[in-house]
Amino acid sequence: MEQKTDTRRALAAAREIVCTYRGPRLRIMEVCGTHTHEIFRLGVRALLPETIELISGPGCPVCVTPVSFIDEACYLARECGVTLCTFGDLVRVPGSSGSLADARSRGARVQVVYTPLDAVTYATDHPEEDVVFLSVGFETTTPASALAMKRASAQSLKNFSLLTANKTMDAAYLAMHESCDAYLYPGHVCAITGARVPRALTARGISGVVAGFTASELLTALAVIVKSAGHAPFFANCYPRVVTEDGSPAAQALLHTYFTPVDAEWRGLGVLPQSGLAVAPAYAQFDARVRYRIPPQEGRSNPACRCGDILRGACTPADCPLYGKTCTPEHPVGACMVSREGTCAAWYQYRGAAPASFS
Amino acid sequence: MCVGIPAKVVSVKDGTALVDASGARREVSAELLSSLDPGDYVMVHAGLAIAKITADDEAEAASVLSSIAPAEVNNGTED
């Protein structure tokens, strides 16, 4: 009972700190699609004074995946006859000449899986098919792709490979830091990398806090930013029940063994050096680009789509001429409208306003 | 796809855990976690348990806040 009283008092104080902030304008960028969604769903934006601006950054792996990746996947299905296994979010992302859903309607085999490990199981159960898993994701998801390769290797699977567009967040932190005063660092990415990765950014003048996903955790993280802003670069781990200083050594070892850093294109941000993860040369038999010699794909997106600007925090979905008109969750034009974690999808669902839920 | 789901461990066998997430049960890989027992809570991402967690986010909030802003927290008012 005493602990509950302490907690209520602490959260009331946190809300007071955030709601009464009257200092210089404070731009806070979340770089996690789940943060974007939860901030809307919980009504956090409705609590904030005009002096605090929340910017939705490049935190959704589907959204930052370039159009050319979809084109590569469609090429594999169309020209090589492979079975594509994919997370469901990718299926409706428009490529240069259609989505995976369009390809499926024309006869391509596209299987939706929950985890890369299910793709290995599918390949095991269907030895007559060549199976390619579309491996997108940040540090949270990529270890599962590494485990998929580990299992496929142990089984000597010959009909399984990955088409990779995996990315690491630290390059994005560096690329985007001038767009904000502080980051809400993604809690689950930090569970893998450890808090030491964002903590080290303070030496480069970059501030932020690791945040969890519940109302208490988000409010706490925002209060800590407000209390710390305006002084020296700062860092705090506001999600210690999940994030440790060193993260997950086991996951880091998997990434190191099965992947290798490469330059990678991010939708809206361009090519960021060493921000991607490709299949390590020692496991090239699982690299679909090596196995199928995929020719370079052009990657043409709708020129009116402003997903790139939205991912950089340069504008909001409401500034896009397509948003809510030709681009809706039912008929998405840009990737940010496709994924449930995308900024445009969150704006569309909550219409840029939500009721306060902390009272 | 990139959504973490907290879940309670029901059973563990050979690097695989049966977990319960608000009533939905499925098997996930537990290979990243060296010691996992029934009753533990884990964070699951794409079929992989990435971290052991505690269930209490509010105690965490009180702890973090009191270290940053002890005066406000101790003098704050309850709703």
Side-chain angles (χ1 to χ4, degrees):
Chain A
M1 181 64 80
E2 187 175 333
Q3 181 183 325
K4 277 217 169 295
T5 303
D6 289 346
T7 299
R8 287 174 62 87
R9 184 177 293 146
L11 290 175
R15 189 178 61 195
E16 186 74 7
I17 290 168
V18 172
C19 294
T20 61
Y21 175 71
R22 297 292 182 269
R25 187 166 188 77
L26 196 48
R27 299 168 303 160
I28 301 170
M29 178 177 279
E30 80 263 4
V31 278
C32 171
T34 308
H35 274 158
T36 301
H37 191 87
E38 287 302 294
I39 283 169
F40 269 117
R41 190 181 71 81
L42 294 166
V44 173
R45 284 175 178 270
L47 283 178
L48 301 180
E50 289 184 356
T51 44
I52 297 178
E53 179 186 4
L54 281 181
I55 302 167
S56 300
C60 163
V62 170
C63 303
V64 300
T65 298
V67 174
S68 58
F69 180 81
I70 302 298
D71 295 345
E72 287 183 294
C74 288
Y75 174 88
L76 284 173
R78 186 181 65 241
E79 304 296 333
C80 306
V82 308
T83 299
L84 298 175
C85 285
T86 177
F87 294 122
D89 314 38
L90 274 176
V91 172
R92 294 193 307 136
V93 177
S96 298
S97 55
S99 64
L100 295 173
D102 297 326
R104 184 164 56 187
S105 71
R106 291 192 292 267
R109 286 194 299 270
V110 179
Q111 295 287 330
V112 172
V113 294
Y114 166 61
T115 163
L117 302 174
D118 289 345
V120 175
T121 302
Y122 183 90
T124 305
D125 294 342
H126 298 81
E128 72 284 4
E129 298 179 26
D130 282 326
V131 177
V132 176
F133 175 69
L134 303 184
S135 182
V136 301
F138 299 130
E139 289 90 336
T140 45
T141 314
T142 310
S145 288
L147 266 184
M149 279 191 272
K150 183 180 178 184
R151 286 195 187 174
S153 183
Q155 296 176 33
S156 300
L157 267 186
K158 305 292 187 205
N159 64 330
F160 176 77
S161 59
L162 305 179
L163 182 65
T164 57
N166 299 83
K167 293 179 169 59
T168 50
M169 286 302 303
D170 46 352
Y173 303 149
L174 290 169
M176 299 295 304
H177 76 92
E178 290 180 354
S179 298
C180 64
D181 301 304
Y183 283 115
L184 276 183
Y185 290 119
H188 295 150
V189 166
C190 295
I192 300 294
T193 65
R196 60 185 164 82
V197 170
R199 185 189 300 281
L201 295 175
T202 54
R204 307 179 75 151
I206 301 173
S207 296
V209 304
V210 182
F213 299 87
T214 68
S216 303
E217 288 165 341
L218 285 166
L219 192 51
T220 301
L222 290 171
V224 170
I225 288 176
V226 168
K227 289 294 291 183
S228 308
H231 306 296
F234 62 89
F235 172 82
N237 179 5
C238 299
Y239 196 30
R241 74 189 177 103
V242 175
V243 176
T244 62
E245 188 65 15
D246 291 329
S248 170
Q252 293 163 23
L254 271 177
L255 297 183
H256 184 73
T257 300
Y258 290 93
F259 286 95
T260 189
V262 292
D263 296 347
E265 181 185 355
W266 296 56
R267 189 190 295 248
L269 307 185
V271 175
L272 302 182
Q274 301 294 286
S275 67
L277 291 172
V279 175
Y283 295 92
Q285 71 269 31
F286 298 123
D287 188 337
R289 290 191 181 90
V290 172
R291 182 180 293 200
Y292 299 102
R293 300 186 180 184
I294 305 170
Q297 301 294 309
E298 189 178 352
R300 288 174 284 107
S301 57
N302 186 316
C305 172
R306 298 196 66 185
C307 276
D309 293 331
I310 290 164
L311 288 166
R312 288 200 312 275
C315 74
T316 70
D319 298 318
C320 176
L322 306 181
Y323 171 77
K325 300 183 178 78
T326 54
C327 185
T328 64
E330 290 75 27
H331 300 285
V333 176
C336 298
M337 186 63 92
V338 177
S339 172
R340 185 173 178 272
E341 300 137 47
T343 303
C344 296
W347 273 68
Y348 193 90
Q349 182 169 354
Y350 299 104
R351 297 288 181 179
S357 62
F358 291 115
S359 56
Chain B
M1 52 154 288
C2 193
V3 176
I5 300 169
K8 188 175 184 179
V9 176
V10 177
S11 61
V12 186
K13 187 179 180 184
D14 298 333
T16 298
L18 177 65
V19 299
D20 185 312
S22 303
R25 292 189 173 196
R26 75 158 284 151
E27 288 188 337
V28 302
S29 171
E31 291 178 57
L32 293 185
L33 305 176
S34 55
S35 64
L36 204 57
D37 296 307
D40 287 343
Y41 283 86
V42 291
M43 188 58 68
V44 178
H45 252 274
L48 182 60
I50 63 168
K52 275 172 81 166
I53 62 174
T54 62
D56 193 349
D57 63 313
E58 296 195 343
E60 170 193 67
S63 170
V64 170
L65 282 166
S66 62
S67 67
I68 293 291
E72 284 91 336
V73 170
N74 292 332
N75 297 329
T77 54
E78 277 187 65
D79 283 358

Short mmCIF file of all heavy atoms in Angstrom, two decimals, chain A residues 194-219:
data_model
loop_
_atom_site.label_atom_id
_atom_site.label_comp_id
_atom_site.label_asym_id
_atom_site.label_seq_id
_atom_site.Cartn_x
_atom_site.Cartn_y
_atom_site.Cartn_z
N GLY A 194 22.19 -2.55 -25.06
CA GLY A 194 22.60 -2.04 -23.75
C GLY A 194 22.47 -0.53 -23.72
O GLY A 194 22.52 0.15 -24.76
N ALA A 195 22.31 -0.01 -22.50
CA ALA A 195 22.18 1.44 -22.34
C ALA A 195 23.48 2.16 -22.66
O ALA A 195 23.49 3.36 -22.93
CB ALA A 195 21.75 1.76 -20.90
N ARG A 196 24.58 1.41 -22.68
CA ARG A 196 25.87 2.08 -22.90
C ARG A 196 25.96 2.69 -24.30
O ARG A 196 26.72 3.65 -24.49
CB ARG A 196 27.02 1.12 -22.65
CG ARG A 196 27.03 -0.09 -23.52
CD ARG A 196 28.15 -1.04 -23.12
NE ARG A 196 27.98 -2.36 -23.67
CZ ARG A 196 28.32 -2.70 -24.91
NH1 ARG A 196 28.85 -1.79 -25.71
NH2 ARG A 196 28.12 -3.92 -25.34
N VAL A 197 25.22 2.16 -25.28
CA VAL A 197 25.29 2.71 -26.64
C VAL A 197 24.72 4.14 -26.68
O VAL A 197 25.41 5.07 -27.08
CB VAL A 197 24.59 1.79 -27.66
CG1 VAL A 197 24.46 2.47 -29.01
CG2 VAL A 197 25.39 0.49 -27.80
N PRO A 198 23.47 4.37 -26.25
CA PRO A 198 23.01 5.76 -26.24
C PRO A 198 23.72 6.61 -25.20
O PRO A 198 23.90 7.82 -25.41
CB PRO A 198 21.51 5.63 -25.93
CG PRO A 198 21.34 4.30 -25.30
CD PRO A 198 22.39 3.42 -25.91
N ARG A 199 24.14 6.00 -24.09
CA ARG A 199 24.85 6.78 -23.08
C ARG A 199 26.13 7.41 -23.68
O ARG A 199 26.47 8.56 -23.38
CB ARG A 199 25.23 5.90 -21.89
CG ARG A 199 25.87 6.67 -20.73
CD ARG A 199 26.44 5.72 -19.67
NE ARG A 199 25.43 4.86 -19.07
CZ ARG A 199 24.58 5.25 -18.12
NH1 ARG A 199 24.62 6.47 -17.66
NH2 ARG A 199 23.70 4.41 -17.64
N ALA A 200 26.79 6.65 -24.55
CA ALA A 200 28.05 7.13 -25.14
C ALA A 200 27.82 8.35 -26.04
O ALA A 200 28.76 9.12 -26.30
CB ALA A 200 28.71 6.01 -25.93
N LEU A 201 26.59 8.53 -26.51
CA LEU A 201 26.31 9.66 -27.40
C LEU A 201 26.38 11.01 -26.69
O LEU A 201 26.49 12.04 -27.34
CB LEU A 201 24.93 9.49 -28.05
CG LEU A 201 24.79 8.28 -28.98
CD1 LEU A 201 23.36 8.15 -29.47
CD2 LEU A 201 25.74 8.41 -30.17
N THR A 202 26.30 11.00 -25.38
CA THR A 202 26.40 12.28 -24.67
C THR A 202 27.75 12.94 -24.95
O THR A 202 27.86 14.16 -24.97
CB THR A 202 26.22 12.11 -23.14
OG1 THR A 202 27.14 11.12 -22.68
CG2 THR A 202 24.81 11.68 -22.81
N ALA A 203 28.78 12.12 -25.17
CA ALA A 203 30.11 12.68 -25.48
C ALA A 203 30.10 13.43 -26.80
O ALA A 203 30.99 14.24 -27.06
CB ALA A 203 31.14 11.55 -25.50
N ARG A 204 29.12 13.15 -27.66
CA ARG A 204 28.99 13.85 -28.94
C ARG A 204 27.90 14.91 -28.87
O ARG A 204 27.42 15.40 -29.90
CB ARG A 204 28.70 12.84 -30.05
CG ARG A 204 29.73 11.71 -30.05
CD ARG A 204 29.45 10.69 -31.10
NE ARG A 204 29.80 11.18 -32.43
CZ ARG A 204 30.20 10.39 -33.43
NH1 ARG A 204 30.30 9.11 -33.24
NH2 ARG A 204 30.47 10.91 -34.60
N GLY A 205 27.48 15.23 -27.67
CA GLY A 205 26.50 16.30 -27.49
C GLY A 205 25.07 15.90 -27.69
O GLY A 205 24.19 16.75 -27.82
N ILE A 206 24.81 14.59 -27.72
CA ILE A 206 23.45 14.10 -28.01
C ILE A 206 22.80 13.64 -26.71
O ILE A 206 23.36 12.83 -25.97
CB ILE A 206 23.49 12.95 -29.03
CG1 ILE A 206 24.14 13.44 -30.32
CG2 ILE A 206 22.10 12.39 -29.29
CD1 ILE A 206 24.40 12.35 -31.34
N SER A 207 21.59 14.17 -26.46
CA SER A 207 20.87 13.86 -25.22
C SER A 207 19.69 12.93 -25.47
O SER A 207 19.14 12.89 -26.57
CB SER A 207 20.34 15.16 -24.59
OG SER A 207 21.41 15.99 -24.21
N GLY A 208 19.29 12.24 -24.42
CA GLY A 208 18.09 11.42 -24.53
C GLY A 208 17.94 10.49 -23.35
O GLY A 208 18.83 10.41 -22.49
N VAL A 209 16.80 9.82 -23.30
CA VAL A 209 16.54 8.85 -22.24
C VAL A 209 15.95 7.58 -22.87
O VAL A 209 15.23 7.65 -23.86
CB VAL A 209 15.57 9.39 -21.17
CG1 VAL A 209 16.09 10.70 -20.58
CG2 VAL A 209 14.17 9.59 -21.73
N VAL A 210 16.28 6.45 -22.28
CA VAL A 210 15.66 5.19 -22.70
C VAL A 210 14.27 5.14 -22.09
O VAL A 210 14.11 5.35 -20.88
CB VAL A 210 16.47 3.97 -22.24
CG1 VAL A 210 15.81 2.68 -22.73
CG2 VAL A 210 17.90 4.05 -22.75
N ALA A 211 13.29 4.86 -22.91
CA ALA A 211 11.91 4.89 -22.43
C ALA A 211 11.22 3.55 -22.64
O ALA A 211 11.44 2.86 -23.64
CB ALA A 211 11.13 5.98 -23.15
N GLY A 212 10.37 3.20 -21.70
CA GLY A 212 9.50 2.04 -21.85
C GLY A 212 8.22 2.43 -22.56
O GLY A 212 8.14 3.49 -23.20
N PHE A 213 7.20 1.62 -22.40
CA PHE A 213 6.04 1.77 -23.27
C PHE A 213 4.71 1.94 -22.54
O PHE A 213 3.69 2.18 -23.17
CB PHE A 213 5.96 0.54 -24.20
CG PHE A 213 7.17 0.42 -25.07
CD1 PHE A 213 8.30 -0.24 -24.63
CD2 PHE A 213 7.21 1.03 -26.31
CE1 PHE A 213 9.44 -0.33 -25.40
CE2 PHE A 213 8.34 0.96 -27.10
CZ PHE A 213 9.46 0.28 -26.64
N THR A 214 4.71 1.80 -21.22
CA THR A 214 3.46 2.00 -20.50
C THR A 214 3.28 3.50 -20.22
O THR A 214 4.20 4.30 -20.38
CB THR A 214 3.45 1.24 -19.17
OG1 THR A 214 4.42 1.84 -18.29
CG2 THR A 214 3.79 -0.22 -19.36
N ALA A 215 2.09 3.85 -19.75
CA ALA A 215 1.82 5.26 -19.43
C ALA A 215 2.80 5.77 -18.38
O ALA A 215 3.36 6.87 -18.51
CB ALA A 215 0.38 5.39 -18.93
N SER A 216 3.04 4.97 -17.35
CA SER A 216 3.98 5.38 -16.30
C SER A 216 5.37 5.59 -16.86
O SER A 216 6.05 6.58 -16.52
CB SER A 216 4.06 4.30 -15.21
OG SER A 216 2.80 4.04 -14.67
N GLU A 217 5.79 4.69 -17.71
CA GLU A 217 7.15 4.77 -18.24
C GLU A 217 7.32 5.95 -19.18
O GLU A 217 8.35 6.64 -19.15
CB GLU A 217 7.50 3.45 -18.93
CG GLU A 217 7.70 2.32 -17.93
CD GLU A 217 7.71 0.94 -18.54
OE1 GLU A 217 7.21 0.77 -19.68
OE2 GLU A 217 8.18 0.01 -17.88
N LEU A 218 6.34 6.21 -20.03
CA LEU A 218 6.45 7.33 -20.96
C LEU A 218 6.43 8.66 -20.21
O LEU A 218 7.20 9.58 -20.50
CB LEU A 218 5.34 7.27 -22.00
CG LEU A 218 5.54 6.19 -23.07
CD1 LEU A 218 4.24 5.95 -23.83
CD2 LEU A 218 6.65 6.59 -24.03
N LEU A 219 5.54 8.75 -19.24
CA LEU A 219 5.44 9.98 -18.47
C LEU A 219 6.73 10.23 -17.68
O LEU A 219 7.24 11.35 -17.62
CB LEU A 219 4.24 9.88 -17.53
CG LEU A 219 3.77 11.15 -16.83
CD1 LEU A 219 3.57 12.29 -17.82
CD2 LEU A 219 2.49 10.86 -16.08
#
